[in-house]
């Protein structure tokens, strides 16, 4: 079960005051970005926010808080589909979205694609849930070739490309996505449900991810 974030509070209090605010800022950033099995981040934030006085560190905390809090509305950025059409975040506003970020050559991304296909098949037809596969490849022809191979993604996923922007795409930068594969889950209304869910390592965790997706409605 997830650990309450407040369990970290006594340890934070024991750090020397001169280094405590950096530790606090780093810990909160870690919670928001990597989403370990910790719950109630906001409760911890209310207790430790006064520990951080440095304006730059406060800015970092508020940046991650604003981007990663559940219910945050995603920016209406655009992608390109395999037909060359522009696709926007708003195009999925009536759907629950499971978005998978990957790149050609990423072996772990191949495994993640297989897991998502397994989940999609096991769930059966769900009209209000879509699986969106986003490549961060810089070269469009490399992406299209990988889509055609069908090992990083699948024909029944919505296959998108970051317009040649790669890691400079605004959604990638907003969520500091530097490790792949990376999943994000949106609720209907383009509202963030989970910016970095646990990547399954076994059959039980695959079922947990499927339950998370199904319960995001």
């Amino acid at each position: 079960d997830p650990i309450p974030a407040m369990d970290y509070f006594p340890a934070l209090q024991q750090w020397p005051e001169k280094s405590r605010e950096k530790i606090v800022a780093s810990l909160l950033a870690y919670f928001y970005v990597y989403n370990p099995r910790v719950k109630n981040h906001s409760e911890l934030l209310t207790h430790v926010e006064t520990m951080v006085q440095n304006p730059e560190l406060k800015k970092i905390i508020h940046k991650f808080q604003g981007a990663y809090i559940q219910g945050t509305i995603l920016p209406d950025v655009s992608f390109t589909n395999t037909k060359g059409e522009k696709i926007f975040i708003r195009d999925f506003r009536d759907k629950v979205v499971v978005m998978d970020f990957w790149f050609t050559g990423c072996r772990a991304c191949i495994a993640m694609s297989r897991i998502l296909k397994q989940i999609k098949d096991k769930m059966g037809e769900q009209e209000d849930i879509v699986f969106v596969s986003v490549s961060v490849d810089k070269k469009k022809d490399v992406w299209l070739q990988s889509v055609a191979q069908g090992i990083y993604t699948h024909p029944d996923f919505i296959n998108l490309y970051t317009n040649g922007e790669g890691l400079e795409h605004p959604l990638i930068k907003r969520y500091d996505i530097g490790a792949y594969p990376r999943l994000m889950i949106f609720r209907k209304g383009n509202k963030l449900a989970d910016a970095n869910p646990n990547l399954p390592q076994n059959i039980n965790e695959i079922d947990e991810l499927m339950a998370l997706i199904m319960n995001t409605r």
Side-chain angles (χ1 to χ4, degrees), residues 186-198:
F186 313 154
R187 298 184 186 278
K188 294 178 182 179
N190 302 144
K191 295 179 180 179
L192 182 67
D194 200 323
N196 196 0
N198 182 52

Side-chain angles (χ1 to χ4, degrees), residues 199-217:
L199 300 182
Q201 301 297 318
N202 54 55
I203 187 65
N204 290 333
E205 292 183 355
I206 291 175
D207 288 341
E208 288 176 11
L209 177 58
M210 182 173 70
L212 173 62
I213 295 168
M214 294 288 286
N215 292 332
T216 298
R217 288 187 171 93

